[in-house]
Amino acid sequence: MQIEGVVMQIEGVVMLWKGVAPRGAWPAAGPEAGRAGREAAAAVPVVPVVPVAAMSFAWPWQYSFPPFFTLQPNGETRQKQLSAWCALALAYSQQHRLPAMTVREAQDIPLFANHRLQRKLPLESIQVVLEELRKNGNLEWLDKNKTSFLIMWKRPEEWGKLIYQWVSKNGLTNSVFTLYELVSGDDTENEEFHGLDEATLLRALQALQQEHKAEIITLDDGRGVKFF
């Protein structure tokens, strides 16, 4: 039985990046899981999947598979693994509106630390995932030493486009807003950019400024923006 379990774990690493749950590794998710799937899953002891309700987030099945937290050496397998981590990081950031943070802080958030499995993505591996996000245009390092970062699950240009669409739709060109009014005011409550963190908002407005659609200005009570 121990030998069979080891074989299944090795098989699981190979199948993981093909988008297929390894044979007998854990129960299939959802109501469609039949008796055969449950019996197969019972053959190997498994740590339960992290409850979705705990974080109100639909974790992918890989998150409950221990080898996911070790970057594989094989080039093709590693790239598929990095793609899975990037997709997870973007989805998690979108759900939780992650602020700017340090790499060490990131190591302890649920994104990179599955406490039910008692597994964490190592610090150096987190750096690799974050750098991959940067290459894809979804992350900005905030210092030269790459110790702090901001994940951008939408690029600044995409946020800028959403903001300007709202401005145009409501006839608000030539209007001035404080940054607070733009993302926290009642007028934008139903907009996707409502609640956007200031760092991301400024990058979005800078993108609009480059297109000559807005100008970031200084007001008595802080920074603001005028739309054209």
Side-chain angles (χ1 to χ4, degrees), residues 63 84 127 149 158 173 178 201 206:
Y63 186 78
Q127 288 272 11
F149 64 92
E158 294 174 311
T173 52
T178 65
L201 173 62
Q206 287 166 355

Side-chain angles (χ1 to χ4, degrees), residues 2-21:
Q2 290 181 343
I3 294 175
E4 182 181 352
V6 171
V7 171
M8 288 180 176
Q9 287 296 320
I10 295 172
E11 179 186 77
V13 173
V14 176
M15 297 177 69
L16 175 63
W17 315 120
K18 296 181 179 179
V20 179

Side-chain angles (χ1 to χ4, degrees), residues 47-125:
V47 178
V49 173
V50 176
V52 171
M55 293 298 296
S56 300
F57 180 74
W59 297 100
W61 63 267
Q62 294 100 323
Y63 186 78
S64 295
F65 190 48
F68 189 51
F69 291 83
T70 301
L71 292 184
Q72 303 301 309
N74 178 272
E76 183 178 354
T77 302
R78 184 185 182 91
Q79 191 56 49
K80 291 179 180 178
Q81 189 179 15
L82 285 174
S83 295
W85 269 113
C86 287
L88 174 57
L90 292 175
Y92 185 90
S93 298
Q94 178 176 1
Q95 175 94 11
H96 296 278
R97 298 295 181 99
L98 286 187
M101 64 178 63
T102 67
V103 178
R104 291 195 177 278
E105 289 171 340
Q107 192 178 28
D108 293 320
I109 64 174
L111 172 60
F112 295 118
N114 186 328
H115 298 293
R116 292 292 297 272
L117 287 183
Q118 296 185 339
R119 290 296 182 97
K120 284 184 178 182
L121 193 65
L123 203 60
E124 59 273 17
S125 297

Side-chain angles (χ1 to χ4, degrees), residues 86-87 89-95 97-101 111 129-130 132-142 149-160 192 196-207:
C86 287
L90 292 175
Y92 185 90
S93 298
Q94 178 176 1
Q95 175 94 11
R97 298 295 181 99
L98 286 187
M101 64 178 63
L111 172 60
V129 172
L130 297 179
E132 189 73 9
L133 285 167
R134 185 200 64 79
K135 292 176 183 177
N136 295 336
N138 292 117
L139 180 140
E140 182 176 333
W141 292 110
L142 302 180
F149 64 92
L150 176 69
I151 293 178
M152 299 177 289
W153 52 274
K154 279 187 185 295
R155 294 181 176 88
E157 297 79 7
E158 294 174 311
W159 282 120
E192 189 176 354
L196 198 63
D197 64 277
E198 185 173 323
T200 303
L201 173 62
L202 282 171
R203 285 161 176 76
L205 296 177
Q206 287 166 355

